Amino acid sequence: MGVQAEIEFPVIEFRSADLERGTDGWHRLCKRVREACETFGCFEVAYKKISTEVREETFGLMKELIEVPVERKQKNASPMPYHGWVGPCNQVSLLYEGFGLGDASNYDSVKSFAQLMWPDGHPRFCNTIHTMATQIEELNKLIWLMLIDSYGLGEKWESVMINYKTLVRFMKYMAPPPGEYERGLFAHTDKPVSTIICDDHVSGLEIEVNDGQWIKLSLSPSSFCFVVGDPLKAWSNGRLKAVNHRVMMSGDKDRLSLAAFAIPVEGTIIKAPRELIDEQHPQLYKDFNFMDFFLFAFSDPAKHIDSGEQLQAFASLSPPISN
Ligand SMILES: O=C(O)CCC(=O)C(=O)O
Ligand SMILES: [Fe+2]
């Protein structure tokens, strides 16, 4: 089925005045964020706290990164899914290239990455990317806090908040041959807890709104897209939707995007708070170690399972258990 434009995709502006926890503005935002994540599994967040300068500078630096010789790109290697460099290939797409930078709000990690790519360690890259990653991490925490508050769990937020590191992926999608509409990234649901994406204003990201109906997002210059991943769906006992999304390329421009993924620290157990489990909402998923699920999703047996069904295959409790 084709791309549909008339569905109203949620765009939520985070004005500084509304970001003070407990205010009316905050509660209004919490409600909208929750509704968007329950209905669409993602939303566009307009957030001016991350300056246009940092953003533009980031995309400028990504263009430099793309130019690095392939022998150095290959040094960005990791056995962990999402964490290393992937060049154009049939498994992903011939249009795709992506780099992984783990724990990106930690200056030393950014430095180690930059040292692999450039002999002088590119200090400007380190400063800008560290700033960008730290600010996106802050935005992600804010959104999690809104979700926690929206479910009335604010008082115990510390015990339900998941500890995580931010993994940044820098991605480039090549323009397809003239007149073509081609896959840049296959349809999937995210395996990290949540993701924040921004691009250089060349659209390509599409989300599935109903079975088989896709909408293309065009993010505004100060916007990011927040995406619910499978573990966040499990945490919410199925209330939040892990949205199926993909990248499709058309036109003659290459696209750059940056995704910041929330990767829980070693040993984190994904577990729905007991307040989210009752007779009307029986427990849908067993408690699970994030890393077990993450590795399962990229294992050989899971490759035959549709991305959106992997959580079900790994963690579903059937029959569901009521509290
Ligand atoms: O590049 C994008 O816009 C989306 C990337 C994405 O969905 C992913 O890497 O999981
Ligand atoms: Fe994704």
Side-chain angles (χ1 to χ4, degrees):
M1 261 191 229
V3 172
Q4 266 210 192
E6 66 269 19
I7 288 164
E8 211 177 309
F9 182 71
V11 180
I12 307 181
E13 191 184 345
F14 280 15
R15 293 181 307 146
S16 306
D18 295 332
L19 298 182
E20 196 175 329
R21 211 167 160 215
T23 58
D24 288 349
W26 171 265
H27 288 300
R28 272 195 301 274
L29 281 185
C30 292
K31 186 165 175 286
R32 291 185 64 201
V33 164
R34 171 180 166 175
E35 280 168 4
C37 291
E38 288 184 348
T39 311
F40 288 88
C42 60
F43 62 95
E44 178 177 332
V45 46
Y47 186 66
K48 298 216 169 76
K49 264 188 153 180
I50 300 181
S51 72
T52 333
E53 291 75 40
V54 172
R55 240 176 118 120
E56 297 302 319
E57 175 86 0
T58 297
F59 286 110
L61 290 159
M62 281 171 64
K63 288 194 182 121
E64 291 183 35
L65 183 60
I66 300 293
E67 297 303 321
V68 162
V70 77
E71 307 80 65
R72 282 195 239 144
K73 292 179 179 176
Q74 282 166 340
K75 293 194 175 147
N76 174 219
S78 170
M80 288 274 286
Y82 282 79
H83 283 67
W85 178 72
V86 175
C89 60
N90 283 320
Q91 294 96 305
V92 181
S93 156
L94 293 175
L95 306 181
Y96 176 91
E97 175 171 0
F99 301 74
L101 164 48
D103 196 7
S105 63
N106 173 343
Y107 194 85
D108 288 338
S109 307
V110 185
K111 216 166 123 184
S112 309
F113 175 88
Q115 276 165 347
L116 295 177
M117 297 298 136
W118 295 282
D120 72 345
H122 208 325
R124 199 164 49 85
F125 177 92
C126 297
N127 293 334
T128 304
I129 300 305
H130 177 250
T131 303
M132 182 81 171
T134 308
Q135 294 182 348
I136 297 185
E137 191 171 287
E138 204 174 287
L139 172 61
N140 186 66
K141 287 215 171 105
L142 202 58
I143 295 171
W144 283 13
L145 198 53
M146 286 176 187
L147 290 171
I148 288 170
D149 272 352
S150 78
Y151 288 120
L153 299 167
E155 279 185 15
K156 54 180 284 194
W157 72 269
E158 278 174 288
S159 64
V160 291
M161 185 72 100
I162 296 164
N163 266 327
Y164 69 97
K165 305 272 185 231
T166 297
L167 167 80
V168 163
R169 273 192 83 73
F170 305 107
M171 284 160 299
K172 179 196 169 190
Y173 301 90
M174 258 175 359
E180 299 294 320
Y181 173 65
E182 258 183 34
R183 188 182 83 187
L185 186 60
F186 45 81
H188 63 282
T189 59
D190 283 349
K191 307 305 150 191
V193 182
S194 63
T195 311
I196 291 184
I197 300 167
C198 63
D199 62 28
D200 65 346
H201 324 311
V202 177
S203 57
L205 177 61
E206 296 185 359
I207 62 156
E208 192 179 19
V209 280
N210 297 310
D211 226 2
Q213 280 188 18
W214 293 87
I215 54 172
K216 193 180 276 296
L217 306 187
S218 298
L219 301 175
S220 85
S222 62
S223 284
F224 297 81
C225 184
F226 176 85
V227 178
V228 173
D230 287 345
L232 192 53
K233 175 181 177 179
W235 174 89
S236 71
N237 197 21
R239 287 167 173 82
L240 302 174
K241 176 176 171 179
V243 65
N244 206 22
H245 56 287
R246 67 184 184 190
V247 174
M248 295 298 290
M249 294 297 293
S250 56
D252 58 3
K253 288 202 179 78
D254 294 345
R255 171 173 187 262
L256 295 180
S257 70
L258 180 150
F261 298 100
I263 308 279
V265 296
E266 185 83 44
T268 299
I269 304 295
I270 304 294
K271 177 182 183 3
R274 54 187 157 71
E275 289 81 353
L276 300 185
I277 300 167
D278 55 35
E279 253 173 59
Q280 276 84 52
H281 306 91
Q283 185 179 352
L284 296 180
Y285 306 103
K286 65 178 184 193
D287 301 348
F288 60 88
N289 183 313
F290 167 79
M291 198 44 75
D292 292 345
F293 169 66
F294 196 56
L295 295 177
F296 163 79
F298 293 92
S299 67
D300 273 336
K303 288 205 176 105
H304 306 288
I305 305 171
D306 182 72
S307 181
E309 300 297 323
Q310 288 169 341
L311 174 66
Q312 185 72 10
F314 182 79
S316 90
L317 282 172
S318 38
I321 302 173
S322 30
N323 202 9

